[in-house]
Amino acid sequence: MPVRDPVFDPPFNVVRASHVELGVRDLKRSRAFYVDCLGLLVGDESDDALYLRGVEERNHHSIVLRRSREADVRALGFKLASEADLDRAASWFARRNLPTSFPDVPYQGRTLRTADVFGTPLDLYARMEQAPSMLQKYAAYRGARIQRIDHLNCFTPDVQGAYDFYAELGFRLTEYSETDGADPKLWAVWLQRKGNVHDLAFTNGSGPRLHHVGVWTASVLDIIHICDVMATSGYLANMERGPGRHGISNAFFLYVRDPDGHRIELFTSDYLTVDPDHAPIRWSLTDPQRQTLWGHPAPASWFEQGSLFTGVAPRLPTLAAQPIVAH
Amino acid sequence: MPVRDPVFDPPFNVVRASHVELGVRDLKRSRAFYVDCLGLLVGDESDDALYLRGVEERNHHSIVLRRSREADVRALGFKLASEADLDRAASWFARRNLPTSFPDVPYQGRTLRTADVFGTPLDLYARMEQAPSMLQKYAAYRGARIQRIDHLNCFTPDVQGAYDFYAELGFRLTEYSETDGADPKLWAVWLQRKGNVHDLAFTNGSGPRLHHVGVWTASVLDIIHICDVMATSGYLANMERGPGRHGISNAFFLYVRDPDGHRIELFTSDYLTVDPDHAPIRWSLTDPQRQTLWGHPAPASWFEQGSLFTGVAPRLPTLAAQPIVAH
Amino acid sequence: MPVRDPVFDPPFNVVRASHVELGVRDLKRSRAFYVDCLGLLVGDESDDALYLRGVEERNHHSIVLRRSREADVRALGFKLASEADLDRAASWFARRNLPTSFPDVPYQGRTLRTADVFGTPLDLYARMEQAPSMLQKYAAYRGARIQRIDHLNCFTPDVQGAYDFYAELGFRLTEYSETDGADPKLWAVWLQRKGNVHDLAFTNGSGPRLHHVGVWTASVLDIIHICDVMATSGYLANMERGPGRHGISNAFFLYVRDPDGHRIELFTSDYLTVDPDHAPIRWSLTDPQRQTLWGHPAPASWFEQGSLFTGVAPRLPTLAAQPIVAH
Amino acid sequence: MPVRDPVFDPPFNVVRASHVELGVRDLKRSRAFYVDCLGLLVGDESDDALYLRGVEERNHHSIVLRRSREADVRALGFKLASEADLDRAASWFARRNLPTSFPDVPYQGRTLRTADVFGTPLDLYARMEQAPSMLQKYAAYRGARIQRIDHLNCFTPDVQGAYDFYAELGFRLTEYSETDGADPKLWAVWLQRKGNVHDLAFTNGSGPRLHHVGVWTASVLDIIHICDVMATSGYLANMERGPGRHGISNAFFLYVRDPDGHRIELFTSDYLTVDPDHAPIRWSLTDPQRQTLWGHPAPASWFEQGSLFTGVAPRLPTLAAQPIVAH
């Protein structure tokens, strides 16, 4: 009897990582960073929140900035295929004694607020208010010309546990790193639903914490340009790592920190992963090119710092931290 | 009671358009065009055939050139999710009295050879021999640095009929053009399975005929470069249309003709369409920007010429041809 | 006895084409085009004039828009090496009975207003008020990210005569087209002082008239982007020709028309011409690739239309117009 | 009485930095690096030498690799405007008791072999065998698509002395760094003849030694691509610094080391400097953005290592080395 494949027959259908809500301490300062510098479009704004999206996005928001006393992360948002999937999701989480509620969320349809086994807050929903695509309103392009949200990347204290949890939900492995030796341990995993390298990734570290939100640009030159802009308009210190080329995912990347320290990855040039026989790529932790194909070391902050989820205390990781080896 | 949605619950799961087999009259001449000029990678070759793929592709082939007395098209290839899907497909086509056979096809697993209601030959399969990804073998990049096959575009005598047939198989509409007036008629449709604008498109015209094979590049500059290469290495007459920007799909495009007249579109910069509430875009046939955002007319050949499928006589279209209006 | 080489020993030292003053009928409308759309920087503006420059320019202005009842051209501006060169220039023009005066010109030092033998108004000067370079103020980059003025291109009724006049002033030939046959006639010439393909070019046609002002961008993608912007923000009809690649000069180009019909070429990727033994390139008028390497025809307007110089009646050309052959 | 300005009235007219001759220990290994990887064109080759040039160059060679027991530098090559300039140069150097000889140099016309006051070997000539421009032979573009040599950069023990020597020859200052305080000392100078930021640059350090040869590419993406190529084809260790953006010169850069350790800079996007009133830019040594606008530190090797000139012992610098401060 064939085993159920959760990729094609999941308990509920997750379409993609769709948004994130970040707590920020000074909305005006954050607006200067995300809108005036990075060039994201404003869908709506109030005294308490700023709703942002990229030029091709029709979902009302992909990054929500919420005025907050702490620089925390409120929720990771995933779009489901239908309202029926949302009901199936609510049952699934309830059966596992994970929290479930349906708070009113502005601009979204029915939204299930729940959490994974590590306490990571998740907002699942099927319908969001639709905004006009600005893809062909080229005169509105600014800054890095960000097209859309691409993925969410988290520290987790237990990569194997995180992988098991999300694989059961139909997330599919595309690349992974693991320790060498006779009993290899997963160190980091890249998991996808929408057909490119990832919607969600996990790296070994004190967690759960958000490592970064990945946003996609059409051209490498959009990323080079935003380097030039940030370096000459007061955001030099916000440039944390890159530009560079990851071995893993083949992404051309730049990591920047927002005024509250939340990390954003500007990213392009990964690849299609929809084929069921697409085999995941294994990277040894001792291969320096997994991090940067070009050999640049990442700063310690990139390995160590992340954003806390509201009210969730991180746990120390199962695996001891690896020495950071510049190569 | 909810209606079955074939996008999420199709009779069998088509993953994507994956390859095409083209009959060519002089393999050496075709090799010069596809390999030496366009830069596609050779997976295998014999006296009778040349198996080509793009730099990120792991499927053994996405374009097969077969030595032939006629410049015809042997089959459009689609990848299914599993062998079980292949069995479901065989039953589905047989129930509709469409031809079904399982010929041996080199480098592919079990392959169902069938046809749609217009006689378009289709090869459906689930597993293909895997080749190494060359995505990070940058020294092997040549010509247009083509990354992968993207889509197949056909003339059909009955766009509504083609739409109905493929929608039933779970292909989803992303953009369409139709005649204006009280009783609009579909003129062209873009249909997807893999999550971008299209795997398969149909335009009103004498058919079935293949209009073009679309291949994807990472950068607009790859397309500009291949224009420069073709124009200065004996392929000027093979440049049919572009470079330009389509209104439909937002694609940056170049159409070229191979030595047998088969049309290839080099293409980049469309967008993600995986959201179930992603509404299709309607274009009026009288909107000149649907063809080229920048206002360049296409040559008559582009509207009129296509490749015949082996042994399939095309029929005249239901709708009268529209006057080609330069704008 | 060696002949004096005017390139290295000119009667006075012209450094480069530096600016142009265009008469426009509606400054607000022109500002929307040049500043909001193309992205040029505003140095100064008044009710009567708008002073524009590119991001790397330190000269106060390279394009001056002057409120005018007619869409005319006031003067072509050239920078000389020194005040002594300016005195030598005044004597040189006076000796040839060409007009000379020294009007006050805002933001410029001493300025010689004169004309060539066809009546083309010329402003020669050595010093202009310097503005801050914005090259590393990347946050100020807009539109096509124009870096600097590159060249001025004119219709002339007598290409041989224009060539002789400017060659005597030390302008050096880099490329030219001529009629075929036993007695070839110059059809167009590209002349340089600053070391790339041209500061000044002349084409056979009713003249003197300004054909276009060429401005330089760093990347082909800047030009592709402005195509997308213009096509989707009300300037589609202002896109006259391109984007494309000239055979002559190897330029990647786009020709646009401002609201008064003045033609601007956005341009990049020519080459260095400083070597004294750099031989000029000859193009036959019957070689279609001289116009566009990629084979696109130019519209009739591009061959026929130009801007009048204030108060200067154009003369019919010596050579009969060539048939415009699409290729 | 006006002082002679050597920029416009030099003792002899240097057109530009035109070539360099490098001693290499294994021509085959060097060929793999320069031709197969970087993509330079081969003009001629023998058992003893390889003559290379970029795609737009008509001079027969811009980089000459000479089989050698030592990885040394034979000469820096500068093009003069005429044979008369060459005679004036010979007299000028002889009057200063600097060595002068006219050896036969393959593919070059009469060549003056001399040296500056530090012993840096210089080859001055006016005419070189011309090769066909490959600028519009796009099918021949490979690797980084290098267009031309741009500049030569040297360590000198006495920056003020080097500046004085070359300024007297008409080299013009465009940018410089100096120590802070009441009695600032020149630390590094960028000097030009051909109209962009430099033909020749000097930095304080044990010298004379060649720091690097700068070659120019048309696009930032050419440099990103060669990073990807080198990192994945066995040349990772040859990537020394970058890609990045210099504050000084605004160059987008990548520094690579050839198999003998000679340093090559791939470089694009500086600016025009022909205006006589173009003021040089001063950088404080304490401004970290002079080195990299984006804040990346350079490795110690970049500050310390250089290529020796054949038979010339370097001297220690006048100014004490500055601490290398990562920023």
Side-chain angles (χ1 to χ4, degrees), chain B residues 22-68:
Chain B
L22 304 174
V24 301
R25 289 163 298 176
D26 181 340
L27 267 178
K28 194 175 162 190
R29 189 179 56 168
S30 297
R31 194 186 203 286
F33 180 78
Y34 284 97
V35 179
D36 300 339
C37 178
L38 295 188
L40 283 164
L41 304 174
V42 177
D44 278 288
E45 59 186 318
S46 68
D47 287 351
D48 282 328
L50 192 55
Y51 293 85
L52 305 173
R53 71 182 198 281
V55 294
E56 80 163 68
E57 291 185 299
R58 303 189 191 173
N59 254 8
H60 176 271
H61 49 263
S62 53
I63 297 181
V64 181
L65 304 180
R66 180 79 53 189
R67 194 155 59 94
S68 169

Side-chain angles (χ1 to χ4, degrees), chain B residues 219-221 224 227-228 231-232 236 239 241-243 245 250 252 288-289 292-296 327, chain C residues 219-221 224 227-228 231-232 236 239 241-243 245 250 252 288-289 292-296 327:
Chain B
S219 168
V220 163
L221 289 188
I224 297 296
C227 289
D228 290 329
T232 58
L236 179 61
M239 298 171 68
R241 181 184 180 193
R245 171 86 62 195
N250 198 49
F252 188 86
Q289 287 196 302
T292 27
L293 213 56
W294 305 341
H296 299 163
H327 51 283
Chain C
S219 169
V220 163
L221 289 188
I224 298 296
C227 289
D228 290 329
T232 57
L236 178 60
M239 298 170 68
R241 182 183 177 191
R245 172 86 62 194
N250 198 48
F252 187 87
Q289 287 197 302
T292 27
L293 213 56
W294 305 341
H296 299 163
H327 51 282

Side-chain angles (χ1 to χ4, degrees), chain B residues 156-315:
Chain B
T156 182
D158 177 4
V159 174
Q160 183 67 53
Y163 172 72
D164 292 344
F165 182 87
Y166 287 95
E168 172 67 17
L169 299 185
F171 284 80
R172 188 165 162 219
L173 188 67
T174 56
E175 306 206 16
Y176 63 102
S177 61
E178 62 179 11
T179 57
D180 290 325
D183 183 24
K185 304 292 185 193
L186 278 180
W187 184 264
V189 292
W190 283 258
L191 301 166
Q192 65 88 10
R193 285 295 302 168
K194 72 181 168 305
N196 68 343
V197 171
H198 53 326
D199 287 275
L200 189 55
F202 292 100
T203 307
N204 186 66
S206 172
R209 289 181 298 156
L210 179 66
H211 189 273
H212 68 261
V213 181
V215 295
W216 192 86
T217 70
S219 168
V220 163
L221 289 188
D222 295 327
I223 295 178
I224 297 296
H225 180 64
I226 206 67
C227 289
D228 290 329
V229 170
M230 292 183 68
T232 58
S233 62
Y235 290 111
L236 179 61
N238 299 65
M239 298 171 68
E240 186 183 33
R241 181 184 180 193
R245 171 86 62 195
H246 284 309
I248 292 175
S249 85
N250 198 49
F252 188 86
F253 67 85
L254 174 73
Y255 292 94
V256 301
R257 305 294 288 271
D258 85 356
D260 288 278
H262 299 306
R263 187 182 286 110
I264 305 291
E265 180 187 17
L266 294 121
F267 151 99
T268 191
S269 77
D270 66 343
Y271 55 90
L272 195 69
T273 61
V274 294
D275 286 2
D277 51 354
H278 189 93
I281 299 176
R282 178 193 179 275
W283 294 84
S284 163
L285 268 193
T286 57
D287 179 350
Q289 287 196 302
R290 78 184 201 285
Q291 290 277 4
T292 27
L293 213 56
W294 305 341
H296 299 163
S301 62
W302 192 87
F303 292 102
E304 295 164 2
Q305 299 174 9
S307 299
L308 292 174
F309 292 102
T310 312
V312 182
R315 290 160 34 198

